């Protein structure tokens, strides 16, 4: 019995990526017996892959309907309502599904009997690293945030000595030392900027410093009127609550701020208030990678590039789509790894007791599997009632 | 007797630079006795300097007329016809004057009795290095070409290892190893690309390689049917004439091409023909810094950003204006150095027998001083007759 994978063209505005690239499709076809990969005409266009490239890799280039009539449908962006309606019982959907942001999509997929595997829910265990699409895309986001800032800053990143004189290097402050933040630090550092990193999680200091950046320590001034552990606790609480205020002097000195702080399932923390923006030098640049979650900066407009207090503030929502060749290549590798992980004698039969599939499975057997999403849906139900 | 310097607001479309920045004005005022610096309202706006910044530096913020009523008028872009009409006998104009591209402007300045000092004509001698505005601006052009290419390439510049896999570094080929080319090489190298440099001048090899790039050697296949020196000569001639063809395999392998080859006073040499563009990978980027001089690429459209054969081709005309803070800072330093060089007891009285002023002086005493410009004007006269 042949296994079929469908790769539809992405329809989300601005989405340039494709879920499988010819090279990765080629490798899958070589590994899996009796596999058909159906790619929609033009699906690779945004990522500079032609239909001929897919054909040469052994894929079938087909119309849209045929891609949705496959055993596994591989996508990048969460399905539109129309795409959900095309799916049904026994089909598997693999892709970013924005489970916490679009719980109603999860419900619709469950209602239609679809087995939906969300790339966002892949557990961060070493065995699942090659399925970690989120980290790969965060790397791209961090890199592009630094490049975009360099493109917009009216000054050099590196210290530069010319015949006419020497210019000082740019000061780049990165807020949040996750995958995106660390890649932004590394890229700004490569370009020769003076880089500073901040994270509320003190243990990230080592990673920040290992990239050659200085770790920003917030200074709180509390009376030591209690025992040591109570004091440390109070300092931490104080730092957390007063972050925007305590960060302000550091922000004022930065030419570029790249903010990446997220709290899973919650709005992004406010780290940059309007006062801090106003204190920055004219022409400075803020790239707010937390924009899709409300932003770390009070003035960020999601999806927009604005100027406020003479500071350029970018609120990008999909930086990986700006680098579609490598974004698609890396994403396709994670999708292929997910599919291979679930293969059993050349059929797709994942073991849902396995941590990887237990966690990444969003819907199955007509129900939403993820507890947090079920919680969100429950709340929504109650609100309606 | 007070010396006055006027700094008008630049009026050329897209020009964001200003000829003096507050810091440099401040230093001039401290050095020169009885100096007035008159800055037009809003002159620094494009470079993020406010009228208040100039005021704080001790400049007089004035209307447009007053800036043109000064002993020395410091500008960035060549004067417009209106600006030429505002100048007269005894006044000194310092700035980029595009002498070879706009000989008629030189004639008009001479007719009005203006002493015009062209930053482009500053001799490249070590004593004049701090006046070398052209090199400083070329550094900026090379840096920004690399950053702009990184921003547009749909892939990473560096080799990157993520959990999902490793991506190969971008291949960047820089044509022309002058100041701009070397800075483009250095910047692409910083970003982790695999960089190749080419220049028809073999002695540049050492500089290219010292930046960590590989020097591209064109391969010609000539029968050795003559003596050794004749053979070497024929090889050089062959290379020069067949550059576009011989470069083609190297261009085809590049993800990014930054071309900077210029021949003074002549159209830029053609190095990238349409066939070479068509052979590049989809999504590749060409930044043609020779665009103002006709371009090194056959498809370049001056001042435009086009896509041809799925390759992005940029023909920027004023990259320094995209980085106005540092471009203005460095430019202002060269202008100040030029003024200081010509001071005699706090009056501006340059010694025109000195090599620096002999060469940079475009017009004086009612005549065009530069031989090549005079030649161009002579030709133009003859053509009219």
């Amino acid at each position: 019995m042949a296994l079929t994978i469908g790769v539809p063209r992405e329809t989300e505005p601005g989405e340039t990526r494709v879920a499988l690239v010819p090279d990765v499709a080629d490798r899958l076809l070589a590994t899996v017996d009796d596999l058909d990969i159906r790619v929609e005409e033009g699906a690779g266009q945004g990522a500079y892959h032609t239909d001929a490239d897919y054909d040469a890799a052994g894929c079938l280039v087909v119309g849209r309907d045929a891609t949705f009539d496959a055993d596994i449908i591989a996508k990048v962006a969460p399905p539109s309502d129309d795409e959900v309606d095309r799916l049904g019982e026994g089909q598997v959907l693999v892709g970013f599904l924005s489970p916490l942001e679009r719980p109603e999509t999860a419900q619709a997929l469950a209602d239609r009997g679809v087995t939906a595997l969300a790339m966002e829910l892949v557990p961060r265990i070493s065995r699942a690293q090659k399925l970690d699409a989120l980290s790969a895309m965060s790397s791209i986001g961090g890199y592009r945030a630094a490049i975009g800032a360099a493109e917009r800053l009216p000054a050099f990143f590196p210290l530069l000595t010319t015949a006419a004189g020497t210019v000082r290097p740019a000061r780049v402050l990165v807020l949040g030392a996750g995958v995106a933040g660390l890649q932004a630090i590394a890229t700004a550092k490569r370009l020769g900027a003076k880089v500073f990193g901040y994270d509320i999680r003190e243990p990230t200091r080592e990673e920040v410093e290992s990239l050659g950046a200085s770790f920003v320590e917030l200074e709180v001034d509390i009376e030591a009127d209690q025992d040591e552990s109570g004091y440390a606790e109070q300092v931490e609480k104080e730092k957390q609550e007063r972050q925007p205020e305590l960060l302000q002097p550091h922000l004022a000195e930065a030419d570029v701020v790249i903010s990446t702080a997220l709290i899973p399932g919650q709005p992004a923390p406010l780290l940059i208030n309007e006062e801090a923006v106003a204190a920055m030098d004219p022409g400075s640049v803020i790239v707010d990678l937390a924009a899709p979650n409300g932003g770390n900066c009070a003035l960020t407009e999601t999806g927009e590039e604005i100027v406020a207090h003479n500071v350029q503030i970018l609120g990008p929502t999909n930086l990986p789509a700006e680098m579609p060749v490598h974004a698609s290549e890396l994403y396709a590798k994670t999708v292929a790894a997910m599919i291979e992980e679930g293969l059993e004698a050349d059929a797709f039969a994942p073991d849902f007791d396995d941590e990887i599939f237990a966690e990444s499975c969003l819907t199955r057997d007509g129900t939403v599997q993820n507890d947090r999403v079920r919680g969100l849906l429950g709340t929504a139900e109650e609100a309606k009632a």
Side-chain angles (χ1 to χ4, degrees), chain A residues 4 15 37 134 150 212 219 308 347 372 375:
Chain A
T4 53
E15 187 53 79
I37 300 183
L134 218 49
E219 287 190 14
R372 288 188 64 184

Side-chain angles (χ1 to χ4, degrees), chain A residues 101-188:
Chain A
E101 294 79 18
R102 306 193 190 185
E104 67 290 353
T105 299
Q107 187 60 62
L109 288 166
D111 291 346
R112 299 191 67 85
V114 176
T115 299
L117 304 174
M119 297 309 286
E120 294 97 331
L121 298 176
V122 169
R124 293 210 162 169
I125 54 176
S126 60
R127 196 163 62 80
Q129 267 195 11
K130 58 186 192 296
L131 286 68
D132 191 352
L134 218 49
S135 286
M137 297 304 110
S138 292
S139 279
I140 295 177
Y143 170 78
R144 287 211 62 87
I147 296 290
E151 166 87 3
R152 283 162 186 85
L153 191 72
F156 282 107
F157 262 39
L159 175 147
L160 205 87
T161 303
T162 75
T166 298
V167 296
R168 67 169 183 85
R171 292 172 69 102
V172 176
L173 171 58
V174 177
L175 305 178
V179 176
L182 292 172
Q183 189 58 241
I185 289 173
T187 305

Side-chain angles (χ1 to χ4, degrees), chain A residues 270-288:
Chain A
L270 176 74
L271 300 177
I272 311 164
N273 56 29
E274 178 157 9
E275 215 177 326
V277 174
M280 291 177 74
D281 278 346
S284 297
V285 180
I286 297 172
V287 185
D288 190 348

